[in-house]
Amino acid sequence: MRDFILALDRIVGRFVLAAACLALAVAALAGLFQIITRFVLQQPSDWTEVLTRTMIIWSVYLGLAAALRGGALLSVDLLYRIASRTPYLRLLQLLITGCTLLFLCVVVWHGWDVVHRVRFQNLAGLEISISWAYAAVPVGATFGILGVIANFIDPKRGELEAQQ
């Protein structure tokens, strides 16, 4: 099971990080297009601001999974330093992982609820359902759950050990 989760995390993690980078690139290009049309051509487009904002939201929530996989969990460095010399380090890691998973499950639950509630509203300028923008929250949190579990199984906390 451990090997399956880590293999799934490697495959999904690469895809999610590539999608986050692509979303950020689209946001940058849309922002550039908006600047050109607004200040050079003097005819602003009405869809670029909405697209830029939506793509930035997607890049942040997809990047969340990569950050969580890299060990950017809710922790206190002082507790890690204290617990690193004791047999309670794994218990501290389990507690942090459990709290993070609980938080992400709440985010997924309420995120899907919001996506469901706003499914009939449209984004101004793009004329697509606003659910596509809000879906970044539960989707990113779902991928984040996989990252947290993979990080618990195979921790990557090199930056913490380097600081000591």
Side-chain angles (χ1 to χ4, degrees):
M1 186 66 161
R2 169 190 160 100
D3 294 333
F4 173 74
I5 291 174
L6 292 177
L8 181 66
D9 176 64
R10 272 191 302 276
I11 293 167
V12 170
R14 287 183 187 141
F15 168 75
V16 169
L17 195 55
C21 291
L22 179 66
L24 194 57
V26 169
L29 289 173
L32 177 66
F33 184 77
Q34 179 181 16
I35 289 170
I36 291 171
T37 59
R38 181 174 301 241
F39 297 112
V40 176
L41 302 176
Q42 299 295 320
Q43 294 189 356
S45 60
D46 57 350
W47 57 269
T48 51
E49 184 178 344
V50 178
L51 180 64
T52 301
R53 191 175 5 171
T54 302
M55 289 296 104
I56 289 174
I57 291 168
W58 272 98
S59 68
V60 166
Y61 278 99
L62 290 176
L64 170 73
L68 291 173
R69 176 58 179 112
L73 301 175
L74 302 171
S75 65
V76 178
D77 289 345
L78 180 62
L79 285 176
Y80 263 112
R81 288 191 180 123
I82 292 170
S84 67
R85 297 177 184 89
T86 67
Y88 300 112
L89 178 63
R90 197 62 178 165
L91 179 64
L92 177 64
Q93 291 170 343
L94 181 65
L95 181 67
I96 292 169
T97 300
C99 290
T100 306
L101 286 174
L102 179 66
F103 173 74
L104 289 173
C105 287
V106 170
V107 169
V108 169
W109 179 266
H110 289 289
W112 281 120
D113 184 45
V114 169
V115 168
H116 180 72
R117 288 176 190 239
V118 299
R119 68 188 182 275
F120 299 117
Q121 297 177 15
N122 284 339
L123 280 168
L126 291 180
E127 298 306 323
I128 62 171
S129 174
I130 201 168
S131 292
W132 288 106
Y134 283 118
V137 176
V139 169
T142 301
F143 288 132
I145 288 171
L146 177 62
V148 168
I149 293 170
N151 187 61
F152 181 73
I153 293 171
D154 180 33
K156 293 185 178 183
R157 291 190 182 85
E159 74 281 349
L160 184 64
E161 284 81 22
Q163 290 177 358
Q164 294 181 7

